[in-house]
Amino acid sequence: MSYSEQLFQFRYMIEQVLDGTLPDEDIQRFNELIINDARLREYYCEYINITIGIERQCINLPVSIHAGGGQAGTIFRDLLKLEREAPAVETYDEIEVEEVVKSKNARKRQIPGKFFMIYNKLVSLAAVLMILFILYANVFPPKYSVPVGVVVDQMGLEWAKSSEVLKDDDVLFTNQAPYVISKGYLKLRYNEGVDVLIEGPASFEIDKSRLYLEYGKLYAHVSEIGKGFTVESSKTKFVDLGTEFGVLVDSTGSSELHVLKGEVQFYAGSKDNKNKTRKVYQDNAIRYDSDDSTIESIPINRNSFVRNCNSSSNFAWKGQHIDLADIIGGGNGFGTGKTNYGIDFYSGKVSYVESEAESFRVSGYVAASHPYIDGVFMPDGGDGSVEITSTGISFDRFPDTNGDCYVPVCNNREIKKGFGGNPELGYLIMNGEDVQKQISPRICLHSNAGITFDLDAIRSSLSGVEIERFTAVFGLIESSTEEPTDVDLFILVDGINVFSHKGYLSTDNPLDIKVELDSSDRFLTMTCLEGMQNFGDWAFLVNPILELKSAEY
């Protein structure tokens, strides 16, 4: 905020102090400004001196001037009337200076008449200037800047050369010049509980409970107390009714509205007369064409708008969910993992998993090197309770097994010949579908193996986003023998059994897994154990995802 704008705002606070209308919550800020800013302190003293000086001249200003907000013509007529009715200023001829001796050592001159004439003119000029100042304030009232929010984060941001620049934690003020972004993401938070994510290129202006978007993409998450937040462009206006919605405005004024949650009241038309209106409900979208002023319904695109960003983890969230198979393959959960990579049960590192090899057996809990994976283990209830987290949480209800495993837990999106069984025998089938041809994300969870994810570590990279639930489809490949394969499945949260199925057969229908997760839940564990038959127990978790949602206020 420039010094002149700060001065306008400070003067307004002085006026509130003088008439007793300054809110209690602003009194402390007013005192701090006077104490800490020498320029404002000097301005305050001058303002008070002028005010007191004019009051002592007993200038009775017309009512219309005092009232404020009157018409300019009325004020000018009052000024003319004041001039006509004002008493004439007495003038004096120049007189000779006469010395009067008061005492032997003191003399005094009479003050010339010219001095009185100049003094009267100065007082009259000061009064006129004050009246003109009041007139200007009525006809051209200053635009006061008030704080309305703060900058939360920015990622990959580039500002246009002509634009003012906002930095993290900067306070957002109204009545500033337009901000122009060339590229990147900027996250703002309004005091009313509204999060706004702007994606460049974009040009916008900040206002109270409102944002003017000349062009660009914007996503708004509005809390209950922020209802009524408005996004406006030159030809459209979007008034929220407690929602999550995205807005796209192009350089011609055409726009799109995508409502992901709640409702939005849409208006279209000229800047001062937006006479077309429509209420848009959840899971719906519309487009406004500025060329022919038409409004049409379009398919909603839930992943078109960046809803959140985190510069520390270089994460931009568009509503997509976290793929746990991708994490096992060394990725971040959004497609950066490698196929047929998994967690080595000896080192805990992410490494390539060979096709079916010799069986192996590892005792104890193995911490993983991946930040989102706590560790891996081989469950065997025959030895008692089994440690399932790095913090020492154990589970004592696993059945007894022979303790062997053939393949580490891995990202098995792509099954190759010789991997996951013997293709020549033709049993790479799950639920009647050839697994080798599927492209869905999947975790290979061959018995006897278990893996634990650290949900808190995942949350730390998802500022403003919450983990809502874990979902997956569980199944076994078709057995190579006439007798079906069977396994035991356990899904645990912080060591508590939340989903399990013992004696699951390869001929059974796939299991739909859905586990609700709370913000206090830290460890998600999944493990598969051999059943009565110790062969062909190749289990898969298809589409294993953590569903995300925007954080609530």
Side-chain angles (χ1 to χ4, degrees):
M1 182 169 59
S2 66
Y3 178 70
S4 61
E5 292 171 333
Q6 187 181 22
L7 205 59
F8 273 128
Q9 188 174 354
F10 182 68
R11 189 187 71 205
Y12 179 64
M13 294 178 74
I14 295 176
E15 293 170 356
Q16 289 181 299
V17 169
L18 293 178
D19 61 22
T21 61
L22 184 67
D24 293 340
E25 58 268 23
D26 290 338
I27 292 177
Q28 179 63 30
R29 179 167 175 262
F30 177 77
N31 292 335
E32 290 175 355
L33 289 173
I34 294 177
I35 294 172
N36 299 325
D37 195 318
R39 292 185 299 179
L40 295 182
R41 187 164 57 249
E42 182 179 356
Y43 179 85
Y44 173 76
C45 293
E46 291 178 356
Y47 189 101
I48 295 300
N49 286 336
I50 291 174
T51 302
I52 295 174
I54 291 178
E55 289 177 352
R56 286 178 177 174
Q57 294 301 320
C58 300
I59 298 175
N60 296 316
L61 298 179
V63 174
S64 61
I65 296 178
H66 281 298
Q71 298 298 320
T74 302
I75 297 176
F76 276 118
R77 286 194 298 270
D78 288 335
L79 287 173
L80 292 173
K81 180 180 179 182
L82 180 66
E83 181 180 354
R84 288 195 301 269
E85 296 177 354
V89 178
E90 186 178 357
T91 59
Y92 300 89
D93 294 331
E94 187 173 351
I95 60 174
E96 295 182 1
V97 177
E98 180 181 356
E99 288 189 354
V100 179
V101 179
K102 293 291 183 180
S103 65
K104 186 176 181 180
N105 299 319
R107 293 181 180 178
K108 184 176 181 180
R109 292 179 179 270
Q110 279 193 345
I111 301 176
K114 273 189 176 181
F115 180 83
F116 288 102
M117 183 172 60
I118 294 173
Y119 176 78
N120 283 331
K121 288 183 177 181
L122 288 175
V123 171
S124 299
L125 179 61
V128 171
L129 289 175
M130 190 63 184
I131 294 172
L132 291 176
F133 175 79
I134 296 173
L135 172 64
Y136 179 84
N138 277 272
V139 180
F140 305 105
K143 293 184 177 180
Y144 298 105
S145 293
V146 296
V148 295
V150 67
V151 177
V152 177
D153 199 1
Q154 49 187 284
M155 193 176 95
L157 205 61
E158 291 184 9
W159 295 90
K161 293 182 179 179
S162 59
S163 174
E164 293 288 334
V165 175
L166 291 171
K167 301 183 292 296
D168 287 354
D169 300 322
D170 275 0
V171 175
L172 302 173
F173 285 92
T174 61
N175 295 315
Q176 305 297 300
Y179 296 102
V180 183
I181 298 173
S182 300
K183 61 184 294 188
Y185 312 115
L186 177 68
K187 183 177 179 180
L188 313 176
R189 177 163 294 162
Y190 279 72
N191 297 335
E192 295 90 347
V194 180
D195 273 0
V196 176
L197 200 298
I198 301 172
E199 180 178 352
S203 175
F204 62 96
E205 296 179 48
I206 301 294
D207 204 347
K208 188 174 183 180
S209 302
R210 175 182 172 274
L211 186 142
Y212 179 82
L213 184 65
E214 183 178 355
Y215 63 85
K217 293 179 73 173
L218 172 154
Y219 182 82
H221 178 208
V222 184
S223 69
E224 185 68 22
I225 62 173
K227 280 187 177 181
F229 180 78
T230 300
V231 177
E232 189 168 359
S233 70
S234 59
K235 299 181 179 179
T236 52
K237 182 167 68 172
F238 313 89
V239 180
D240 125 87
L241 302 175
T243 62
E244 292 182 44
F245 65 94
V247 170
L248 168 64
V249 179
D250 65 24
S251 58
T252 68
S254 296
S255 60
E256 291 183 12
L257 168 66
H258 297 252
V259 182
L260 282 74
K261 185 178 180 181
E263 303 172 1
V264 172
Q265 191 70 44
F266 170 77
Y267 300 88
S270 64
K271 185 174 183 180
D272 299 322
N273 184 25
K274 293 181 171 59
N275 51 10
K276 293 186 177 182
T277 181
R278 179 185 296 186
K279 184 177 287 187
V280 184
Y281 298 91
Q282 181 171 319
D283 297 324
N284 286 274
I286 60 172
R287 172 175 172 78
Y288 170 76
D289 193 323
S290 62
D291 292 334
D292 55 14
S293 300
T294 58
I295 304 172
E296 63 175 337
S297 296
I298 59 175
I300 187 172
N301 191 337
R302 302 187 68 88
N303 297 328
S304 175
F305 297 88
V306 174
R307 306 187 201 179
N308 217 310
C309 68
N310 189 331
S311 57
S312 60
S313 60
N314 198 35
F315 168 67
W317 184 56
K318 289 189 174 183
Q320 68 273 42
H321 301 309
I322 293 180
D323 176 6
L324 293 180
D326 181 75
I327 289 177
I328 290 175
N332 60 4
F334 299 104
T336 61
K338 298 179 180 179
T339 299
N340 290 341
Y341 274 69
I343 307 300
D344 183 84
F345 270 71
Y346 293 98
S347 66
K349 296 180 179 180
V350 178
S351 59
Y352 180 75
V353 176
E354 299 288 345
S355 298
E356 184 175 354
E358 296 294 328
S359 65
F360 61 91
R361 181 180 299 184
V362 176
S363 61
Y365 189 79
V366 180
S369 61
H370 194 293
Y372 297 165
I373 301 175
D374 187 66
V376 292
F377 60 95
M378 299 184 69
D380 184 6
D383 296 331
S385 62
V386 178
E387 187 175 352
I388 62 171
T389 73
S390 61
T391 61
I393 296 177
S394 298
F395 188 72
D396 59 4
R397 298 181 187 177
F398 289 133
D400 188 15
T401 71
N402 69 4
D404 292 336
C405 186
Y406 284 87
V407 177
V409 183
C410 63
N411 176 17
N412 193 222
R413 181 187 292 266
E414 179 183 337
I415 295 180
K416 297 182 178 179
K417 183 177 180 179
F419 187 89
N422 189 342
E424 282 74 21
L425 297 178
Y427 64 88
L428 288 178
I429 304 295
M430 188 174 78
N431 197 28
E433 185 177 357
D434 189 343
V435 177
Q436 195 166 1
K437 295 180 180 179
Q438 292 181 19
I439 60 174
S440 299
R442 56 180 170 264
I443 297 172
C444 178
L445 192 62
H446 189 288
S447 61
N448 296 289
I451 184 168
T452 297
F453 295 89
D454 188 339
L455 300 180
D456 277 355
I458 297 174
R459 290 188 186 99
S460 66
S461 66
L462 304 175
S463 175
V465 178
E466 294 178 353
I467 300 174
E468 191 169 16
R469 65 180 61 90
F470 164 65
T471 61
V473 177
F474 178 80
L476 276 170
I477 61 173
E478 189 174 289
S479 175
S480 61
T481 67
E482 293 182 0
E483 190 172 1
T485 304
D486 66 316
V487 295
D488 296 333
L489 171 69
F490 290 87
I491 305 295
L492 312 173
V493 174
D494 292 338
I496 299 174
N497 183 10
V498 294
F499 185 98
S500 62
H501 191 108
K502 292 185 178 181
Y504 176 83
L505 298 174
S506 56
T507 55
D508 290 342
N509 290 327
L511 298 176
D512 289 321
I513 302 172
K514 186 176 182 179
V515 176
E516 302 295 330
L517 295 170
D518 190 78
S519 59
S520 61
D521 297 330
R522 178 177 178 182
F523 295 111
L524 174 65
T525 302
M526 53 193 72
T527 181
C528 181
L529 299 86
E530 67 188 44
M532 299 299 294
Q533 306 294 332
N534 186 21
F535 61 87
D537 41 359
W538 294 85
F540 293 92
L541 288 165
V542 181
N543 288 322
I545 63 174
L546 294 177
E547 294 185 5
L548 305 178
K549 67 175 183 177
S550 296
E552 299 297 333
Y553 290 94

